[in-house]
Amino acid sequence: MKTLFKKYRIATLAIIAAAAASVTYTSCSKVDPMGVLMAGTAVDDRVKMSLNYWNEFGDYFDTTTVKNYKAEGIFDDKGHLVDIVISGEPQDYSFLIGADSHTLYDTGRLREMFEIARKHGDFFCANLGDIAETQPQYYSAIKRVQDFYADKKHGGIPFFVVPGNHDITRNGWALFTQVFKASFYDFWVLVDIENNGHLPVYDHFIFLDTASGTLGKEQIDAIESGALLERQQEGEEYFKVRHRFLFTHTNFFRPRFTQFSSTFCREEMYFLLNKAKEWNTTMVFTGHVHAWDYRVIGGVEYLTFDSMGERNSPNPGDYLVRVNITKDGKASWEKVRLNYVNNSGYAENDYHHLQWEVDSGLRPFLSWDDFMNNVEDDASVIP
């Protein structure tokens, strides 16, 4: 993906991270015990590593949906750059989201998600955490699927993931970072140009690390310091933000009063609710609780997802959500059905799903041999 501009990050965060590497913080006096007990790493440590990684590599994930994008410099008679004019055609686009796949060897539901995205032309796929149980062979299987669909021959579909509590147990963070690199990050998508080519318009995507059931001090400090927002000189507007979308594993609300799930402590929930409104967020996506919930608070839509994993949702169902954005900026969502069910009786063998994709017509132009030569899930560890 093409870098559109260099983001200004807060340089002192890296210094703070190095100085405080051995200290664990919580952001409030009420910490969810499930998140603490199940976590194999502290959220502050994960956020520090993520900030360091994203400060160096994050801008390369910024991209555009604008067709025929072109930036042209305007020079004076002495050859000095005096202006930049951007041109291009805005387009409709969409992205596909799932949650809580809890993958073992059978990546059937995950593959089906990518196939649906490929056929529809979705811009990217996202997962809201608990993507796998923490064993090397399961992450190896996921990595093979991710690598397969990242290839332009198979759709070139980016995959963005936040960690869940199951992703960080038993040294899971080490496995997670081998595949997904960071747990706390954001990226920007150029979607339009206004003011005769002088005002670029962006959609902003924010991914939070809530796998421990708490944001932690480092993440809150980074948010408050502006690590997720572009800096603008006072009195000047360099760009316009059209939509913000927020992705997090831990749910804000219980779908039912009696629903068991660990949620944010009260102070953090209010902090995030206020931030979502302050950022003019369009939609917030959460998982964790394995139950659907939808509500609107302060003009922000909050969607809590069912588990897309076959072990938790054994029957076919509408477990995915597609967000559709028109070129004039209207955003809406729809549920998307997953049909895959493992009827082979071999829970630890993914090959039957490859055959199912070919036989079911998801890949009508792909032969069984082609599939086997490109993707082969096994129990080998991640390289």
Side-chain angles (χ1 to χ4, degrees):
M1 289 183 281
K2 184 175 181 179
T3 300
L4 297 178
F5 56 89
K6 182 66 180 175
K7 297 215 283 282
Y8 296 98
R9 299 290 188 176
I10 303 170
T12 55
L13 283 175
I15 300 173
I16 294 172
S22 62
V23 182
T24 300
Y25 296 94
T26 58
S27 60
C28 63
S29 59
K30 300 176 182 178
V31 179
D32 172 26
M34 292 298 290
V36 173
L37 292 174
M38 295 183 69
T41 56
V43 61
D44 282 346
D45 293 329
R46 298 195 301 270
V47 169
K48 292 170 193 174
M49 288 185 277
S50 297
L51 282 169
N52 287 335
Y53 176 85
W54 214 254
N55 284 338
E56 185 171 355
F57 301 108
D59 290 339
Y60 294 100
F61 289 86
D62 296 340
T63 186
T64 181
T65 60
V66 173
K67 186 178 180 181
N68 298 324
Y69 166 81
K70 184 179 180 181
E72 183 177 0
I74 306 299
F75 300 87
D76 60 18
D77 54 2
K78 296 182 179 180
H80 298 141
L81 180 67
V82 295
D83 198 3
I84 296 177
V85 177
I86 304 172
S87 61
E89 307 161 36
Q91 302 292 308
D92 299 341
Y93 78 97
S94 61
F95 54 94
L96 193 62
I97 314 166
D100 295 271
S101 48
H102 290 277
T103 304
L104 299 178
Y105 287 97
D106 185 357
T107 58
R109 288 275 174 91
L110 189 60
R111 290 187 193 279
E112 186 179 8
M113 177 184 182
F114 273 103
E115 279 300 320
I116 291 169
R118 184 187 64 83
K119 292 186 71 174
H120 187 269
D122 291 312
F123 190 49
F124 66 85
C125 288
N127 186 283
L128 301 174
D130 283 359
I131 192 169
E133 300 303 316
T134 47
Q135 294 295 328
Q137 57 268 35
Y138 307 148
Y139 276 88
S140 177
I142 289 171
K143 188 175 188 304
R144 291 176 186 276
V145 175
Q146 181 191 38
D147 290 347
F148 182 84
Y149 288 100
D151 191 317
K152 290 184 179 180
K153 294 185 297 184
H154 307 125
I157 305 170
F159 191 33
F160 299 99
V161 180
V162 292
N165 50 290
H166 283 263
D167 297 310
I168 60 172
T169 58
R170 298 184 297 276
N171 202 33
W173 173 241
L175 299 172
F176 186 90
T177 54
Q178 286 290 310
V179 182
F180 303 113
K181 310 305 181 187
S183 64
F184 168 61
Y185 56 96
D186 69 321
F187 66 89
W188 301 73
V189 177
L190 178 70
V191 291
D192 202 355
I193 306 102
E194 296 179 355
N195 193 22
N196 296 320
H198 289 86
L199 182 64
V201 181
Y202 292 92
D203 287 348
H204 188 196
F205 297 83
I206 297 173
F207 297 77
L208 301 180
D209 183 341
T210 62
S212 296
T214 176
L215 291 168
K217 183 180 185 301
E218 292 293 329
Q219 195 164 199
I220 286 182
D221 285 349
I223 291 171
E224 292 281 50
S225 300
L228 294 172
L229 304 178
E230 287 297 329
R231 289 185 171 183
Q232 302 179 46
Q233 293 184 10
E234 188 175 354
E236 294 186 45
E237 291 188 358
Y238 291 111
F239 63 91
K240 176 181 176 181
V241 179
R242 188 178 68 178
H243 291 294
R244 279 197 173 92
F245 299 100
L246 184 60
F247 302 75
T248 170
H249 178 69
T250 299
N251 50 303
F252 285 60
F253 315 105
R254 289 180 174 87
R256 295 181 297 276
F257 181 77
T258 57
Q259 187 90 31
F260 173 78
S261 72
S262 53
T263 56
F264 295 107
C265 64
R266 185 181 304 159
E267 293 89 340
E268 286 194 350
M269 185 176 76
Y270 291 157
F271 173 81
L272 284 173
L273 288 171
N274 288 333
K275 280 299 175 185
K277 186 175 181 179
E278 176 188 325
W279 292 339
N280 294 318
T281 305
T282 302
M283 298 177 192
V284 176
F285 311 107
T286 74
H288 186 48
V289 71
H290 298 187
W292 173 257
D293 184 64
Y294 172 78
R295 60 189 78 192
V296 180
I297 298 177
V300 181
E301 296 184 80
Y302 292 84
L303 289 72
T304 304
F305 283 54
D306 287 304
S307 168
M308 64 177 282
E310 192 181 351
R311 289 185 299 141
N312 299 300
S313 304
N315 299 316
D318 299 334
Y319 305 125
L320 305 180
V321 167
R322 173 177 288 119
V323 177
N324 298 295
I325 306 173
T326 63
K327 60 185 178 181
D328 59 357
K330 295 178 181 178
S332 61
W333 59 269
E334 60 179 327
K335 287 192 173 184
V336 177
R337 187 175 181 83
L338 285 173
N339 290 308
Y340 172 72
V341 176
N342 181 349
N343 293 318
S344 72
Y346 298 98
E348 295 187 354
N349 188 339
D350 196 38
Y351 296 154
H352 65 276
H353 179 263
L354 306 182
Q355 185 66 65
W356 178 85
E357 286 196 8
V358 175
D359 293 345
S360 66
L362 274 174
R363 281 189 167 270
F365 306 110
L366 184 67
S367 70
W368 170 249
D369 288 339
D370 185 23
F371 230 137
M372 291 300 292
N373 288 334
N374 280 281
V375 180
E376 191 173 318
D377 292 336
D378 57 29
S380 65
V381 297
I382 299 172

